[in-house]
Amino acid sequence: GVAVSLVDEPFLAVMDLAARDGGAGPLVAVAAEPWRAMAVHAGVSSEVLTVRAEVVRSATVGVLTQGLAAGPLHRWDGVNAVRVRLEGQAPQSRSDVAVLAGANAVAVCGADGWEVVQFREAALMPDGRWRLSELVRGQQGTDAAMGAEIGALVVVLDAAVTAASLAGMERGVPLIWRAGPAGAVPGAGFRSIEAV
């Protein structure tokens, strides 16, 4: 499964995707078991980290167990499926109308960045993997990032995913991102990654 149950470090993903409310910063996903409120800090160096997001719910994250090929735009992709092992909330099938209104979105990290994929059908397979099918591909202008290999990271884009604040001058600049317990000073027990 996905390593989200580390004793002292949460899982952290920073996704250069548009926030639902139109915010300018990236989306962040934090997951841990057991869960407690988390803070996401960022800065150009570890000496100047500032809080960029407060996260109150653990994200649902996973990895592809089968590669995902590119698919059609602006219509249902009935050929490809997202086959994924997930940690967190179980996905649910939704109606056409609900999906077209924005439901059931996941971000898949391929070689060229994050693709936003929506699915209509969710089926639990006997081995515990999920098959997400009847897809809408390349949502939110992510069509250039279509396709991912086995082991690629998948993040469910639900209310647990939070927009982080980012200054205009920080766009395109490598930043250190750290996630850990809210109210704690970034250090031991924090996950640290670099992202642009």
Side-chain angles (χ1 to χ4, degrees), residues 13-17 24-28 42-44 113-114 166-177 193-196:
V14 178
M15 300 167 282
D16 191 13
L17 295 171
L27 296 180
V28 292
V44 293
W114 293 92
L166 190 71
M169 64 185 181
E170 293 176 321
R171 273 204 134 340
V173 175
L175 297 178
I176 295 170
W177 293 84
I193 63 173
E194 185 175 294
V196 177

Side-chain angles (χ1 to χ4, degrees), residues 12-107:
L12 170 64
V14 178
M15 300 167 282
D16 191 13
L17 295 171
R20 291 175 291 277
D21 63 3
L27 296 180
V28 292
V30 181
E33 183 62 41
W35 177 254
R36 58 189 177 266
M38 298 281 177
V40 177
H41 304 252
V44 293
S45 73
S46 58
E47 295 80 30
V48 292
L49 297 176
T50 58
V51 175
R52 305 305 179 99
E54 298 283 341
V55 183
V56 297
R57 291 178 41 194
S58 185
T60 298
V61 298
V63 292
L64 288 182
T65 59
Q66 179 177 314
L68 178 62
L73 282 175
H74 313 302
R75 61 186 172 92
W76 293 103
D77 180 353
V79 175
N80 292 297
V82 175
R83 295 177 189 270
V84 62
R85 187 167 309 282
L86 288 174
E87 299 275 343
Q89 299 296 313
Q92 296 181 357
S93 299
R94 299 291 294 269
S95 69
D96 293 9
V97 172
V99 172
L100 295 175
N104 282 3
V106 298

Side-chain angles (χ1 to χ4, degrees), residues 109-168:
C109 188
D112 296 317
W114 293 92
E115 178 192 2
V116 176
V117 179
Q118 289 176 267
F119 63 92
R120 185 169 49 196
E121 300 294 328
L124 180 61
M125 309 310 288
D127 63 0
R129 293 178 301 140
W130 286 92
R131 182 178 188 275
L132 310 177
S133 60
E134 298 303 317
L135 308 176
V136 183
R137 304 293 302 276
Q139 296 296 84
Q140 299 178 17
T142 61
D143 48 297
M146 270 195 207
E149 301 294 324
I150 292 173
L153 184 61
V154 177
V155 176
V156 174
L157 298 176
D158 60 12
V161 175
T162 306
S165 63
L166 190 71

